[in-house]
Amino acid sequence: MIQAKQALLTALADSLQQIAPGSNAVAAFESPKQAAHGDFACTAAMQLAKPLKANPRELATRLIAALEATPAFQHWVQSLEIAGPGFINIRLKPAAKQAVVAEVLGAGAQFGHRAATGKHVMVEFVSANPTGPLHVGHARQAALGDALCSVFKTQGHDVTREFYYNDAGVQIATLANSTQMRLKGFKPGDAEWPEAAYNGDYIQDIADAFLAKETVKADDREFSASGDINDLDGIRQFAVAYLRHEQDLDLQAFGLKFDNYFLESSVYSGGQLEAAVQRIVDAGKTYEEGGALWFKSTDYGDDKDRVMRKKDGGFTYFVPDVAYHVNKYERGYTQCINIQGTDHHGTIARVRGGLQAQGLGIPEGFPDYVLNKMVTVMKGGEEVKISKRAGSYVTLRDLVDWTSRDAVRFFLISRKADTEFVFDIDLALKANDENPVFYVQYAHARISSVIRKWAAEMGGDVTGVAGADFSLLTAPTEEALMLKLAAYPDMLTGAAQGLAPHDIAFYARDLAGAYHSYYAAERVMDQAPELSRARVALLVATRQVLANALTVLGVSAPEQMSREAAQDQPETE
């Protein structure tokens, strides 16, 4: 069906030029709101009506005549009809839908993937300062970022996963001071304990390791403790390395590895920050007021101008962000996406403005942003707010330990990033259809069970089903399942273009639902041999696309599963 759709789109583009030469009409199909209306819908006649000053239904009639004359529509289309103000509903021949089975079986794990584009994409996400364990907000960013990277790879792009963090500054100083206070025997609640200090038990763990003169190794650094409680700089470096190691363990539990770690300090030490500021000054986009250097960010859509350099000579926090993104651009990335909390919304205009002001040719709208809202964790009907390890929040590793990596990944990607999300621990542990990740994984396992039974009864394997007679697949639930399989490649492209990895989770649930409906309506075993073989081929294709979608999400595709409900029984003919 993929081949058929491309042929039909080419024919549509040619026909549009025939009835409206030189027009900008886009050849595209939509999905009808109701399946009974057909397989594709075309709105081109309505789009052309105004510029051509023509009646849209009359245009639709002319377009249908042109389409029916093309070899592609003659070969693949069963009927064309006009609906409403000028919609064209397209109903495919069964062979067009059935072709997707062979296409999936032929492509396997590469079904839905596009050829290499040479485009270099960076996704920066998590980017937590090493001041404590990764919390549930970081977990959501990890799920979003990793899935989005996988989506981009299916589109043929080169993808870099980058983790940016500050290894100096006020927060790191607070971390060092908190650890030193623990080393001196003080703890939260003592009169001497600073109000701004970090209170989690992990601070005591750092202090104990420092006293023991341990060596800690993270993905991007290694440091050995001196054991000297007065060595504040050594405490700082050790604490940073210790927590980077802890964060790496969090990420390993999540099944995520970054390609690159970028330190905020490097934009200072390398002179990149000063160079960026000077370019903005030279462009005439700054002014002095009250002893501070101001950026004319209102010229770029900000609600007010922003201080770049404070009276004390220090830079405000968005300035290193600007220098960092110049660095990204100069590294050759044609698209950069930042996944951050919604509290970063206010920085978007000033960062993009700071980039535009430098005259480096950086595209407008660079970088892209995906902003995510908070996650609330519920257990036993009550909100969980505190982790003993972290002190005041639930950590990424808590979620994985309480449920599973698969559940955390699927749940946190199953809603749009800009919506608040309730992570229900009890739901994530259920082994029934209420649990969305179980629902999808169980479809994969159920298919595997049927295929194993068929192969056992046939005394062979499924390698030969690609040669089955797919024209036998005519049941309504079979057609619905095949249409859903055919939608996978375009869904991936849309998810990449829209920075919407949640689309894959939505699709996986829909595909699982289409399979479960098919399973309830049709039988595979105890059928005429050729029909049984064709249906097994459809099952193999469905299992493959489910596995492909789950792989993009970083979720496993199990071959066997059990469930609470006793009503599930594989075919036993």
Side-chain angles (χ1 to χ4, degrees):
M1 184 171 170
I2 310 304
Q3 178 185 355
K5 185 176 181 180
Q6 290 304 314
L8 295 175
L9 284 171
T10 300
L12 174 59
D14 293 341
S15 298
L16 287 171
Q17 289 303 309
Q18 180 180 328
I19 68 169
S23 75
N24 294 322
V26 177
F29 296 137
E30 298 178 3
S31 297
K33 293 183 178 179
Q34 298 182 31
H37 291 168
D39 302 307
F40 296 143
C42 176
T43 61
M46 292 185 291
Q47 295 169 9
L48 287 171
K50 187 174 181 180
L52 294 182
K53 298 179 180 179
N55 181 287
R57 286 184 66 90
E58 291 178 3
L59 278 177
T61 300
R62 291 169 55 193
L63 182 55
I64 284 177
L67 292 172
E68 288 178 335
T70 65
F73 272 74
Q74 292 171 3
H75 183 70
W76 296 112
V77 173
Q78 183 170 293
S79 67
L80 292 160
E81 60 183 30
I82 302 172
F87 289 99
I88 298 176
N89 288 332
I90 303 167
R91 197 176 307 278
L92 299 174
K93 291 179 180 178
K97 304 170 191 177
Q98 293 155 356
V100 74
V101 180
E103 290 168 342
V104 174
L105 296 179
Q110 295 300 304
F111 180 71
H113 290 224
R114 298 186 183 274
T117 63
K119 180 178 179 179
H120 298 285
V121 179
M122 176 198 285
V123 183
E124 182 224 319
F125 58 110
V126 180
S127 294
N129 290 338
T131 56
L134 300 179
H135 55 61
V136 292
H138 297 131
R140 191 173 195 185
Q141 291 173 22
L144 290 166
D146 200 36
L148 189 56
C149 289
S150 295
V151 173
F152 277 126
K153 287 186 73 69
T154 70
Q155 301 306 293
H157 307 328
D158 293 325
V159 183
T160 297
R161 293 164 169 83
E162 184 150 294
F163 189 121
Y164 170 87
Y165 70 91
N166 183 5
D167 57 338
V170 174
Q171 292 184 349
I172 302 301
T174 301
L175 171 67
N177 290 330
S178 301
T179 305
Q180 188 177 52
M181 290 296 288
R182 288 279 196 168
L183 285 164
K184 292 180 177 180
F186 299 109
K187 62 183 184 301
D190 291 346
E192 297 85 356
W193 189 256
E195 184 177 345
Y198 295 125
N199 298 327
D201 287 353
Y202 66 93
I203 298 295
Q204 185 63 59
D205 295 338
I206 299 171
D208 292 342
F210 184 84
L211 277 178
K213 299 182 180 180
E214 292 184 7
T215 296
V216 288
K217 183 176 182 179
D219 282 350
D220 69 310
R221 59 179 56 217
E222 181 177 338
F223 191 80
S224 297
S226 67
D228 180 0
I229 66 172
N230 295 311
D231 179 12
L232 186 60
D233 186 64
I235 294 170
R236 177 186 64 80
Q237 293 189 61
F238 181 80
V240 168
Y242 185 99
L243 286 174
R244 278 292 310 113
H245 171 72
E246 287 292 304
Q247 290 178 349
D248 288 343
L249 293 178
D250 292 339
L251 295 170
Q252 288 171 22
F254 195 74
L256 172 59
K257 186 173 179 60
F258 283 88
D259 301 304
N260 191 46
Y261 290 84
F262 193 97
L263 305 182
E264 182 180 341
S265 60
S266 67
V267 301
Y268 290 87
S269 60
Q272 298 170 69
L273 188 146
E274 289 78 5
V277 171
Q278 190 59 52
R279 283 191 292 266
I280 297 172
V281 171
D282 292 345
K285 293 298 183 179
T286 62
Y287 58 90
E288 296 273 355
E289 185 177 290
L293 179 68
W294 292 72
F295 172 47
K296 297 178 182 179
S297 55
T298 50
D299 289 355
Y300 301 94
D302 204 356
D303 58 343
K304 61 181 180 181
D305 292 343
R306 305 288 173 172
V307 173
M308 293 183 67
R309 188 176 59 235
K310 297 176 287 187
K311 287 185 290 186
D312 63 6
F315 291 103
T316 54
Y317 66 93
F318 90 92
V319 181
D321 278 354
V322 172
Y324 172 44
H325 285 91
V326 171
N327 178 283
K328 288 183 180 181
Y329 179 73
E330 290 178 340
R331 279 188 273 162
Y333 291 104
T334 48
Q335 184 177 12
C336 291
I337 300 98
N338 297 342
I339 299 181
Q340 298 172 324
T342 51
D343 57 326
H344 288 79
H345 184 273
T347 68
I348 295 176
R350 69 198 73 156
V351 169
R352 287 176 173 170
L355 294 172
Q356 291 300 303
Q358 298 183 59
L360 296 173
I362 297 176
E364 290 187 26
F366 181 97
D368 293 308
Y369 287 84
V370 175
L371 302 182
N372 65 282
K373 287 190 175 179
M374 64 179 291
V375 177
T376 300
V377 180
M378 302 291 291
K379 189 176 185 181
E382 296 182 355
E383 183 178 351
V384 183
K385 293 184 177 181
I386 296 178
S387 161
K388 183 176 186 297
R389 178 165 162 263
S392 59
Y393 54 84
V394 176
T395 70
L396 184 159
R397 228 184 304 174
D398 287 333
L399 288 185
V400 173
D401 290 344
W402 293 341
T403 59
S404 68
R405 177 194 298 178
D406 285 346
V408 174
R409 279 182 171 270
F410 195 96
F411 272 52
L412 293 179
I413 206 71
S414 64
R415 294 288 186 276
K416 292 181 65 175
D418 61 359
T419 59
E420 293 188 1
F421 182 73
V422 175
F423 193 108
D424 189 331
I425 299 295
D426 300 323
L427 176 61
L429 293 173
K430 287 187 175 181
N432 61 29
D433 290 350
E434 294 178 51
N435 180 347
V437 66
F438 181 91
Y439 182 73
V440 175
Q441 289 181 315
Y442 188 67
H444 186 275
R446 176 187 258 180
I447 293 171
S448 298
S449 175
V450 175
I451 291 172
R452 284 193 300 271
K453 181 173 176 59
W454 181 84
E457 291 198 3
M458 296 299 295
D461 57 35
V462 297
T463 55
V465 296
D469 182 1
F470 302 136
S471 68
L472 300 174
L473 302 173
T474 58
T477 53
E478 287 171 334
E479 289 198 357
L481 188 52
M482 289 184 288
L483 283 170
K484 184 58 66 175
L485 295 178
Y488 182 68
D490 285 347
M491 181 278 301
L492 286 177
T493 300
Q497 293 174 346
L499 307 182
H502 60 275
D503 284 352
I504 295 94
F506 290 177
Y507 174 86
R509 291 190 66 176
D510 287 347
L511 179 58
Y515 167 70
H516 289 309
S517 295
Y518 173 61
Y519 180 88
E522 307 296 336
R523 307 196 75 77
V524 174
M525 312 300 295
D526 195 25
Q527 300 290 320
E530 277 305 305
L531 176 59
S532 181
R533 187 165 173 246
R535 287 181 170 173
V536 168
L538 176 57
L539 295 191
V540 174
T542 303
R543 180 176 66 171
Q544 181 67 67
V545 177
L546 274 172
N548 291 0
L550 288 170
T551 297
V552 172
L553 297 176
V555 175
S556 68
E559 297 286 321
Q560 293 180 302
M561 293 178 71
S562 60
R563 58 184 290 152
E564 296 170 348
Q567 73 266 20
D568 171 66
Q569 296 168 354
E571 292 191 345
T572 56
E573 299 93 340

